[in-house]
């Protein structure tokens, strides 16, 4: 009778030992990398995507130069980073989004976006949405940002129902040495 109990016990021990070997050989479930090895480029670049709530961290430090809708003529040098800042009011139901045509990627490239609430402890607090860019090479292009009204019931929503787009802000970017 003991012989019939040993076979299942041996099988169970064998399965556990095999699982231990597999998880050890594959790096385990903790970090997926062998000790002393660098993370893969995919792992290093998988930052959380920005969100309108402001909870996402930018993948890079925030640019030092920030331009609002009162300063739409912008001049920057190649390699320089900058941000475009527009007022948002989530509780009123609007935010901003990039509009077409997209800027010339040979001149500027968007590197991220983020939001910052005036009062982070108050849900729906107004604040600013930042669109981060890097100047690539000399030239000129335009960045169009459109007001996105998702719940306001005002002019923007009426325009969207009529097939028109919401208000836009157009930034004219010149990149030169």
């Amino acid at each position: 009778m003991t012989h019939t109990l040993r076979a299942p016990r041996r099988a169970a021990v064998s399965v556990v030992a095999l699982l231990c070997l597999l998880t050890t050989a594959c790096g385990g479930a903790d970090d997926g990398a062998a000790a002393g090895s660098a993370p893969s480029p995919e792992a290093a670049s998988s930052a959380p995507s920005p969100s309108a709530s402001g909870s996402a961290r930018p993948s890079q430090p925030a640019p030092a130069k920030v331009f609002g809708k009162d300063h739409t003529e912008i001049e920057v040098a190649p390699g320089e980073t900058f941000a475009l800042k527009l007022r948002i009011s989530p509780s009123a139901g609007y935010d901003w989004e990039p509009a077409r045509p997209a800027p010339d990627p040979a001149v500027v490239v968007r590197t991220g976006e983020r939001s910052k609430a005036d009062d982070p402890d108050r849900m729906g607090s107004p604040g600013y949405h930042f669109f981060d860019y890097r100047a690539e090479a000399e030239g000129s292009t335009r960045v169009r940002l459109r007001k996105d009204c998702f719940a306001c019931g005002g002019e923007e929503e009426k325009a969207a129902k009529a097939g028109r787009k919401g208000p836009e802000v157009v930034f004219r970017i010149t990149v030169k040495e």
Side-chain angles (χ1 to χ4, degrees):
M1 195 97 144
T2 25
H3 180 65
T4 57
L5 290 176
R6 282 189 190 156
R9 189 176 299 159
R10 272 191 232 156
V13 169
S14 297
V15 169
V16 170
L18 181 61
L19 288 174
C20 288
L21 279 173
L22 288 175
T23 57
T24 304
C26 295
D30 57 340
D31 65 358
S37 69
S40 68
E42 293 82 19
S45 65
S46 62
S49 62
S51 70
S53 69
S55 60
R57 293 178 292 137
S59 58
Q60 304 172 8
K65 288 189 173 182
V66 178
F67 304 97
K69 69 188 225 179
D70 295 339
H71 190 226
T72 58
E73 299 288 331
I74 299 169
E75 189 174 302
V76 290
E80 195 169 8
T81 60
F82 62 95
L84 306 177
K85 169 179 101 167
L86 294 167
R87 192 84 176 137
I88 60 170
S89 184
S91 64
Y94 73 87
D95 199 350
W96 291 87
E97 65 184 4
R100 297 210 181 273
D104 182 353
V107 180
V108 297
V109 174
R110 192 168 99 197
T111 59
E113 64 183 85
R114 57 204 152 74
S115 296
K116 183 177 180 188
D118 293 342
D119 182 0
D121 295 330
R122 200 177 98 220
M123 190 165 138
S125 173
Y128 289 94
H129 197 107
F130 297 86
F131 294 88
D132 299 333
Y133 288 87
R134 181 181 61 247
E136 292 294 306
E138 288 191 0
S140 297
T141 192
R142 293 177 183 196
V143 174
R144 295 177 167 331
L145 299 173
R146 179 179 303 125
K147 193 175 197 179
D148 178 28
C149 183
F150 53 87
C152 59
E155 293 304 312
E156 293 85 5
E157 186 176 15
K158 290 176 191 171
K161 286 180 181 175
R164 297 187 313 263
K165 304 297 180 189
E168 287 185 357
V169 175
V170 179
F171 293 88
R172 289 162 188 81
I173 316 295
T174 302
V175 179
K176 67 181 189 179
E177 290 289 337

